[in-house]
Amino acid sequence: MLQPTRFNFIDVLWAPYNALSAKKITAMTIFLLQALAVYNLFVYIALAVQGESLAYIFSVHGFFYFSLTAFTTAPALAVFAVGVAAALLLVMLGLFAVSAMEIEEVRGNRFFSLEQAIKFAYRRAGQIFLSEFSIVLFLAFVVLLFFLFGLLTRIPFLGEWLLTILFVLPSFVVAFLVVMIFGILVVSFVLLPAVASAERQGETFASILETFSTVIRQPVRWLSYTFYAVIAAKFCGFVYAYFCYRAVQFSVWATGLGGGEKIRQTVASGLSHLPYRSDVADATLNVFPGIDWGFSVVRWARGGGDDAVGYLMAVMLFVIFASIIGYMLAVVASAQARGFVAIRYIKDNYNISEEDSLFFVDEHVNPPIEDEEG
């Protein structure tokens, strides 16, 4: 049964429940894994460009190399920046896919499938990329203007007077607007996918306009929705992680009744290839960062071997772990989509729930045939 749209905080309150869907978690997890794969590919290309020993780095870090201080040359930094941008774009596509599912539910389409959501996200990849790139390009243009203005201040005697006279108007005012735009660029990482998923024509300018309008006209409401979404995502993600932990534990115990100690050793071998002592793992397996209340998988990695099957088991365990992050991001995406529907109605009196679905058309029903008199 579809939940009625109330256009207030109650819509966002249901985000953890709405995100607890197999297709939403799967969609977000798929894009998250793709983002990690692309990131690692570009990281190792950047290290190769810099002349590092890839075999040594892989033996130490594996597929989880997150050091930012290793890149010291401009070509390596450029390749690394492209990889980070591509990975962030894929994560945004995952948020878009989940948001699209929410928007279609708001429009009354309960049958929007996982395959449709993923294809829809790839079709709108250009819209999201151009929206973000346009904001970045504008910021770069303003920086160029300030750079040219800085060159003018090098003029002897006259330059100092130009700097002083124009320091407030327009320098300070423009700089203040640039800082605001940069802040919106940061928050657009989670907001823009929801806005774009509700945009019917896939227009870049419309997505940028609605993103700015949402943050500028309803900042307190949007911040409250987002704050709740992040807190709820972390807490509910911890609960989801605990159930995943117990599910794996039960699976090992139950299959071990017939398979013996070999089952536990295989899982331990897979876990030993993963960074289970990392900060990301600690933050995920604790209720909140900095609060020592959670569970640990350290003891389950003991006794593992180095067999080839252990690497495959590591992939399977990592997919389960990625689904935890995927669920938390799905909660944020669901809250952003429902929150945008409410904010759009509040600020523009526009009801997205009255729109027709982009992917579902009611079957044509012939009108009843009236009986003819003989």
Side-chain angles (χ1 to χ4, degrees):
M1 180 178 178
L2 293 177
Q3 301 168 3
T5 305
R6 301 175 182 269
F7 306 108
N8 54 32
F9 182 74
I10 296 178
D11 295 337
V12 182
L13 191 66
W14 286 90
Y17 171 78
N18 293 333
L20 194 60
S21 165
K23 62 182 181 180
K24 293 175 184 176
I25 296 175
T26 302
M28 192 67 247
T29 303
I30 289 174
F31 282 102
L32 194 61
L33 292 174
Q34 290 180 359
L36 181 62
V38 169
Y39 170 82
N40 278 282
L41 176 64
F42 277 88
V43 162
Y44 277 96
I45 292 176
L47 291 171
V49 170
Q50 193 166 266
E52 302 289 344
S53 174
L54 300 186
Y56 172 75
I57 293 177
F58 183 80
S59 64
V60 175
H61 299 279
F63 291 105
F64 306 96
Y65 189 87
F66 296 106
S67 176
L68 303 180
T69 60
F71 304 102
T72 56
T73 64
L77 283 172
V79 174
F80 175 74
V82 172
V84 171
L88 291 176
L89 177 61
L90 284 168
V91 175
M92 292 181 70
L93 291 182
L95 297 172
F96 176 91
V98 177
S99 298
M101 295 180 190
E102 287 292 337
I103 296 297
E104 284 297 300
E105 289 181 7
V106 169
R107 291 170 176 158
N109 180 13
R110 295 176 296 172
F111 307 104
F112 191 50
S113 66
L114 172 64
E115 182 181 2
Q116 287 177 314
I118 293 176
K119 290 181 178 179
F120 187 41
Y122 282 126
R123 287 204 304 269
R124 292 291 184 90
Q127 177 190 7
I128 295 177
F129 171 76
L130 290 176
S131 299
E132 294 288 271
F133 183 71
S134 299
I135 301 175
V136 173
L137 195 63
F138 176 77
L139 292 175
F141 175 71
V142 175
V143 171
L144 177 62
L145 292 181
F146 271 88
F147 170 76
L148 296 176
F149 178 66
L151 293 180
L152 292 177
T153 61
R154 291 178 176 268
I155 301 175
F157 182 74
L158 181 61
E160 297 177 356
W161 283 95
L162 283 175
L163 174 65
T164 305
I165 294 172
L166 302 178
F167 190 78
V168 175
L169 289 174
S171 295
F172 173 77
V173 175
V174 174
F176 185 83
L177 293 175
V178 167
V179 172
M180 288 184 58
I181 294 173
F182 180 78
I184 295 177
L185 174 65
V186 174
V187 303
S188 68
F189 175 75
V190 295
L191 177 59
L192 181 63
V195 174
S197 65
E199 213 286 308
R200 299 183 67 86
Q201 304 300 326
E203 296 180 358
T204 300
F205 180 75
S207 299
I208 297 175
L209 182 63
E210 282 299 328
T211 301
F212 275 75
S213 176
T214 300
V215 177
I216 293 175
R217 295 180 58 185
Q218 295 289 332
V220 176
R221 182 172 279 107
W222 180 81
L223 284 173
S224 63
Y225 290 170
T226 304
F227 179 77
Y228 164 75
V230 173
I231 298 299
K234 183 62 189 77
F235 178 77
C236 296
F238 169 74
V239 176
Y240 178 83
Y242 182 77
F243 275 89
C244 289
Y245 168 71
R246 290 304 183 188
V248 172
Q249 190 179 34
F250 172 79
S251 177
V252 173
W253 172 79
T255 53
L257 295 176
E261 184 65 16
K262 178 177 64 176
I263 304 298
R264 193 200 65 81
Q265 291 178 351
T266 302
V267 175
S269 298
L271 189 59
S272 64
H273 297 305
L274 298 175
Y276 55 88
R277 295 180 182 271
S278 64
D279 294 336
V280 175
D282 290 339
T284 305
L285 303 183
N286 280 279
V287 60
F288 288 108
I291 299 178
D292 189 16
W293 187 50
F295 56 94
S296 176
V297 296
V298 174
R299 67 188 184 95
W300 295 102
R302 299 170 184 168
D306 198 27
D307 298 334
V309 70
Y311 289 93
L312 181 58
M313 178 58 71
V315 174
M316 301 303 173
L317 293 174
F318 183 75
V319 170
I320 296 175
F321 179 81
S323 72
I324 301 172
I325 310 296
Y327 171 65
M328 289 191 285
L329 291 176
V331 172
V332 175
S334 176
Q336 290 295 309
R338 297 281 180 167
F340 175 71
V341 171
I343 291 176
R344 183 73 189 279
Y345 180 80
I346 293 170
K347 70 183 181 69
D348 298 327
N349 198 27
Y350 184 83
N351 192 349
I352 295 178
S353 64
E354 294 180 351
E355 294 180 348
D356 294 330
S357 170
L358 292 176
F359 299 90
F360 179 78
V361 180
D362 290 330
E363 295 183 1
H364 178 71
V365 178
N366 293 323
I369 300 177
E370 297 181 358
D371 295 334
E372 297 181 0
E373 296 182 358

